[in-house]
Amino acid sequence: MKKISDQLYRNQSLVYKFFLYVATVVGILYLFPKGGQFKYEFQKGKPWQYENLLAPFDFPIHKSNDEIAIEKDKVLKTVKPYYNYNASIQPIVEAKIEEQLENYLSDTLPAVVKSKIESVVANVYKKGVVVSFAKEDAGVINLIEEGNKVKEVKTTSVFKLSQLHNFVIKTFDKEPYADYTDHIYELLMDVMEPNVSKNENFTKKAKEEALSKISYTRGTVTSGKLIIVKGEVVEGEKFNILNSLKKEYESQLWSESNYTWIVVGYVLLIALVLLMLLLFLNKYRNEIYNNNTKVTFIFMNIMLMVFLTSFAIQYNVLYIYIVPLSILPIVLKAFFDARTGLFVHVLTILILGFLVPNSFEYIFIQIMAGIVTILTVSELYKRANLFISVGQITLVYLLSYIAFYLISEGAFSSEDLWWILGFFLLNGLITVVSAQSLIYIYEKIFGLDSDVSLLELSDTNSRLLRELSEKAPGTFHHSLQVANLAEAAAIEIGANAMLVRVGALYHDIGKMNNPTFFTENQKGSINPHDELEPKESASIIIHHVIDGIALAKKNNLPDRIIDFIRTHHGTSLVYYFYKKQIDLEGEAVKEEDFRYRGAIPFSKETAILMMSDSVEAASKSLKNPTYGIIDTFVEKIINKQMDEGQFLNANITFKEIEQIKKILKQKLVNIYHLRVEYPE
């Protein structure tokens, strides 16, 4: 038992990945449709690629969504809405009119006018009074009277309060009433109330009853009947029959007898896709694979996209085009790299292919959008870049979908097309709004860092850099110079310029512990190394790397920045003090006492910093530099680093190193303001 527990403890990272893998497979499986998969793939407007298809069993022909929508619309138009007639309103209104006529208008209106008003009101309320009718209710309504008696009434015969003014003018336009129309209108406006109101409950039930009588099928295909022959174009009735067979096949396949095997099939496919992801990370992105937080982050994002797509399908299948899947490669590229982002995006789309209809069309469109995302999204700390990239992604969405639509429909003839194009535009808007916010949230939750956080770290007014400028001003100035050199070199070879710049700004923060022991911070002729043994001096110089790492961790700098501190000297030799010790003791000096502990650079960015740092620091010793001196100087320093094997672990080529040399030479020439010497 102890051996097992020890084994589990030693392999806890692997155990965690296994449980994460299983949990993700189960989670995705739960979101999958409860049905089998039709074994034939077909698209409207394209030829049938398989052998002649005969009906395997009897099945009904389902009506298309457009046909059902038209039929529902027709049925709903035949349903007469229900309205309640409230007889108790009339006596209340008549009493109010009588009171008004006696108390307020007794001297204003003649008796004949009063009599006419009472007669008109009684007649109007007998037929019914309503505020107004909705446009769809115009025509005939079912009026529910006392005792739940229902009679059909034309809406034109019911008085509408919205037309009261015109009614008064028309009814009282003759003598002796014409002079009193304003008084009559004000009176009726104050006291009249509707006694006819819509009965929403009865109307809703009537509509539901009418809709329940609609048949969603028309006709039946008998077993053995020829459905389609090889090479025949899938369109019209053939398309409807194939869709009907697909629905019936999938519903019959998902039976108790087949349930277990279908689940096994889904599990194998999902497990295979996620296994490919783990193998990719293990082989090509080992630093991600060995970090369980990063693996969890990737798996969680895949689950999130599957959940959002599944959620959209439950409401309306067209809503899948609103799901901002391009956020996945944007986020992954921001935290990792383009290749990882595209690989994860493609695998996620393959999983989603089991969820969505027209899977080939969906997979093609989303993969194209993912490729454009990877190719266009860069330097997200520049706000305009995200807008431009999302605009290009949206354009690819629109063009791809229009192309598929024209192939299947042959013309712009469906309202759904404009809805889906609108959904793609909404997709782009959601992506723009949420991408930056999501990156920030992920940084805080998972402790990751993106170019956006690097931009914040590059602020020279940040607390740590300000402290460096105060305690070690020479080192701060050196770091700024190195940052400029390294950034230019990174741009030249296509490396991450922002990462290199930030790494350069912080690479020497360890010198704050003993600033005066470093030449750039010494004032006057006093040098504290004069009072120390060469070995002690070398130890202090070497220790600034360790001090820098400790200081960076204390101030919560990202691991990617700490890597620059750790590797910027690699395993190089503190040659000045090593040579000085040899002069004192002879050849018996231990070289390891004067060598940095490493590690050596393991990326283009860390290699660039090592070269830039060494060249900038050594350039301070140049006296009367010329083009030739600078050229020889840079070549000598970098070639020595190559001979020592400092760049063996960095994925940098000889060509790129030569490009970096060229840039460093140009920048040093600019720093020393070298000009062409004119003849006297």
Side-chain angles (χ1 to χ4, degrees):
M1 189 67 184
K2 187 177 179 182
K3 283 186 177 181
I4 296 173
S5 61
D6 289 344
Q7 197 75 10
L8 289 173
Y9 181 78
R10 281 195 296 270
N11 296 286
Q12 56 181 313
S13 178
L14 198 59
V15 171
Y16 175 82
K17 288 185 182 68
F18 173 77
F19 281 109
L20 177 66
Y21 175 78
V22 172
T24 307
V25 170
V26 172
I28 294 175
L29 179 66
Y30 178 77
L31 297 172
F32 262 40
K34 304 301 183 286
Q37 288 287 326
F38 191 49
K39 58 183 177 181
Y40 301 110
E41 182 71 31
F42 60 91
Q43 281 187 292
K44 189 176 181 181
K46 288 192 173 182
W48 180 255
Q49 302 289 340
Y50 309 97
E51 296 300 323
N52 298 353
L53 179 63
L54 303 177
F57 44 76
D58 294 344
F59 64 92
I61 302 173
H62 295 269
K63 295 176 183 176
S64 68
N65 292 334
D66 290 340
E67 288 176 316
I68 293 171
I70 292 170
E71 196 167 338
K72 282 183 177 180
D73 190 51
K74 286 182 179 179
V75 167
L76 290 175
K77 285 179 180 178
T78 64
V79 176
K80 300 179 183 67
Y82 283 81
Y83 279 76
N84 294 324
Y85 180 87
N86 189 349
S88 65
I89 298 293
Q90 182 177 346
I92 296 171
V93 172
E94 289 175 343
K96 288 181 179 179
I97 291 175
E98 187 177 351
E99 182 183 354
Q100 290 270 25
L101 292 173
E102 288 181 4
N103 297 337
Y104 306 106
L105 301 172
S106 57
D107 298 330
T108 306
L109 300 177
V112 65
V113 176
K114 296 176 183 178
S115 177
K116 177 71 172 177
I117 292 172
E118 292 171 347
S119 173
V120 167
V121 169
N123 187 47
V124 163
Y125 271 97
K126 186 177 180 181
K127 294 179 180 179
V129 178
V130 70
V131 175
S132 65
F133 287 109
K135 186 178 179 180
E136 62 270 16
D137 291 349
V140 179
I141 61 171
N142 289 314
L143 199 60
I144 306 171
E145 298 180 325
E146 290 184 7
N148 286 332
K149 293 179 181 179
V150 179
K151 69 175 182 179
E152 292 186 355
V153 175
K154 290 183 178 180
T155 54
T156 53
S157 66
V158 180
F159 179 78
K160 303 165 190 66
L161 285 176
S162 59
Q163 300 172 355
L164 179 60
H165 188 264
N166 292 335
F167 173 78
V168 169
I169 293 173
K170 186 177 179 181
T171 307
F172 299 92
D173 62 344
K174 297 178 182 178
E175 294 294 339
Y177 317 112
D179 295 335
Y180 305 102
T181 53
D182 289 341
H183 292 292
I184 295 169
Y185 174 70
E186 290 176 6
L187 169 64
L188 297 180
M189 189 68 182
D190 287 340
V191 301
M192 286 189 73
E193 297 178 21
N195 68 340
V196 172
S197 59
K198 192 170 185 178
N199 190 317
E200 296 287 356
N201 191 35
F202 271 41
T203 304
K204 183 180 178 182
K205 287 181 178 178
K207 289 180 178 180
E208 289 175 351
E209 184 178 352
L211 291 175
S212 67
K213 295 176 181 177
I214 293 176
S215 173
Y216 288 83
T217 63
R218 48 176 173 76
T220 304
V221 176
T222 56
S223 177
K225 182 180 177 180
L226 178 65
I227 296 175
I228 194 169
V229 298
K230 185 175 182 179
E232 187 176 356
V233 177
V234 179
E235 58 184 358
E237 188 64 13
K238 298 286 184 184
F239 181 69
N240 290 336
I241 293 173
L242 285 170
N243 268 329
S244 301
L245 175 60
K246 182 179 179 180
K247 288 180 182 178
E248 199 66 25
Y249 183 87
E250 291 176 348
S251 64
Q252 287 191 16
L253 191 62
W254 193 261
S255 60
E256 288 187 11
S257 58
N258 297 325
Y259 177 87
T260 304
W261 291 112
I262 291 174
V263 170
V264 169
Y266 275 141
V267 167
L268 288 175
L269 289 172
I270 299 168
L272 189 62
V273 170
L274 296 180
L275 180 62
M276 293 304 103
L277 174 57
L278 287 174
L279 291 175
F280 168 80
L281 295 177
N282 185 38
K283 187 171 179 64
Y284 297 106
R285 297 293 182 271
N286 207 252
E287 70 280 3
I288 298 176
Y289 180 81
N290 291 329
N291 189 319
N292 283 340
T293 301
K294 293 179 179 179
V295 175
T296 304
F297 170 73
I298 293 173
F299 275 61
M300 188 211 72
N301 273 280
I302 294 174
M303 274 291 296
L304 177 63
M305 292 304 161
V306 175
F307 170 76
L308 290 176
T309 305
S310 175
F311 184 74
I313 290 172
Q314 289 179 16
Y315 284 88
N316 189 323
V317 72
L318 297 181
Y319 289 173
I320 60 175
Y321 298 109
I322 302 178
V323 178
L325 285 173
S326 54
I327 282 183
L328 183 61
I330 288 175
V331 168
L332 293 177
K333 186 180 179 182
F335 289 119
F336 305 122
D337 61 274
R339 190 175 176 187
T340 301
L342 183 60
F343 194 86
V344 174
H345 179 71
V346 170
L347 291 182
T348 305
I349 298 304
L350 291 178
I351 292 173
L352 293 177
F354 295 107
L355 284 171
V356 300
N358 298 325
S359 55
F360 173 77
E361 173 188 306
Y362 180 83
I363 290 172
F364 180 90
I365 291 173
Q366 296 295 353
I367 288 179
M368 287 293 290
I371 292 172
V372 172
T373 304
I374 292 298
L375 293 176
T376 60
V377 172
S378 62
E379 298 180 327
L380 285 176
Y381 56 87
K382 297 178 181 178
R383 288 174 294 182
N385 285 6
L386 181 61
F387 283 93
I388 294 169
S389 297
V390 172
Q392 293 171 324
I393 295 163
T394 304
L395 181 62
V396 168
Y397 270 134
L398 296 176
L399 293 177
S400 301
Y401 186 80
I402 289 172
F404 274 104
Y405 187 85
L406 291 175
I407 290 171
S408 60
E409 299 293 337
F412 295 102
S413 58
S414 172
E415 188 178 335
D416 282 349
L417 171 65
W418 305 110
W419 274 108
I420 292 172
L421 296 184
F423 289 158
F424 281 131
L425 293 174
L426 181 59
N427 184 314
L429 180 62
I430 294 171
T431 302
V432 168
V433 171
S434 57
Q436 292 282 19
S437 303
L438 206 57
I439 289 172
Y440 177 78
I441 292 169
Y442 283 151
E443 284 179 345
K444 300 306 176 186
I445 294 176
F446 292 93
L448 302 171
D449 55 283
S450 66
D451 282 355
V452 179
S453 58
L454 292 178
L455 179 63
E456 294 175 1
L457 289 171
S458 68
D459 182 7
T460 53
N461 286 318
S462 64
R463 189 181 61 80
L464 193 56
L465 290 181
R466 194 167 62 249
E467 186 181 351
L468 177 64
S469 68
E470 292 170 356
K471 290 184 177 180
T475 299
F476 178 72
H477 180 73
H478 160 72
S479 298
L480 289 175
Q481 292 281 56
V482 173
N484 292 332
L485 292 174
E487 184 178 29
I491 292 171
E492 179 69 19
I493 68 169
N496 190 331
M498 177 58 72
L499 178 62
V500 172
R501 180 172 186 82
V502 177
L505 289 173
Y506 290 91
H507 78 283
D508 268 344
I509 56 173
K511 292 181 179 180
M512 281 195 288
N513 287 3
N514 296 291
T516 56
F517 283 87
F518 298 90
T519 309
E520 66 267 22
N521 299 311
Q522 292 170 1
K523 298 178 182 179
S525 59
I526 300 174
N527 188 341
H529 289 291
D530 294 340
E531 300 176 6
L532 300 176
E533 292 291 327
K535 188 175 180 180
E536 291 180 74
S537 295
S539 177
I540 293 172
I541 298 297
I542 290 169
H543 212 270
H544 88 271
V545 172
I546 299 168
D547 291 340
I549 294 171
L551 198 57
K553 289 182 177 179
K554 181 181 177 181
N555 286 272
N556 298 315
L557 290 185
D559 288 339
R560 287 203 294 175
I561 304 305
I562 295 175
D563 288 336
F564 283 93
I565 300 172
R566 183 180 290 112
T567 62
H568 75 277
H569 284 296
T571 56
S572 59
L573 191 67
V574 184
Y575 187 76
Y576 176 81
F577 292 110
Y578 174 67
K579 185 68 176 172
K580 198 173 180 181
Q581 189 71 28
I582 288 178
D583 292 340
L584 292 174
E585 296 183 9
E587 297 296 331
V589 177
K590 291 183 180 179
E591 190 176 290
E592 59 266 25
D593 292 336
F594 296 84
R595 197 171 282 280
Y596 285 96
R597 308 293 183 262
I600 60 175
F602 55 84
S603 65
K604 290 180 182 179
E605 288 77 15
T606 50
I608 289 170
L609 177 63
M610 172 179 275
M611 289 183 254
S612 302
D613 180 44
S614 300
V615 167
E616 202 286 329
S619 69
K620 295 295 187 291
S621 63
L622 291 177
K623 297 178 180 178
N624 302 319
T626 63
Y627 290 105
I629 290 173
I630 289 175
D631 184 86
T632 305
F633 166 77
V634 172
E635 290 286 343
K636 180 180 177 182
I637 289 176
I638 296 178
N639 287 342
K640 183 180 179 183
Q641 291 173 336
M642 292 173 65
D643 292 340
E644 291 177 351
Q646 299 294 338
F647 306 133
L648 290 177
N649 292 345
N651 57 334
I652 192 167
T653 64
F654 287 117
K655 180 181 178 180
E656 288 169 335
I657 292 174
E658 290 302 316
Q659 289 174 297
I660 293 168
K661 287 180 182 178
K662 179 182 174 183
I663 289 295
L664 294 178
K665 292 171 187 176
Q666 289 176 358
K667 290 296 178 181
L668 286 179
V669 167
N670 293 336
I671 290 170
Y672 287 105
H673 306 292
L674 297 183
R675 291 182 174 88
V676 176
E677 293 183 8
Y678 295 99
E680 296 182 1

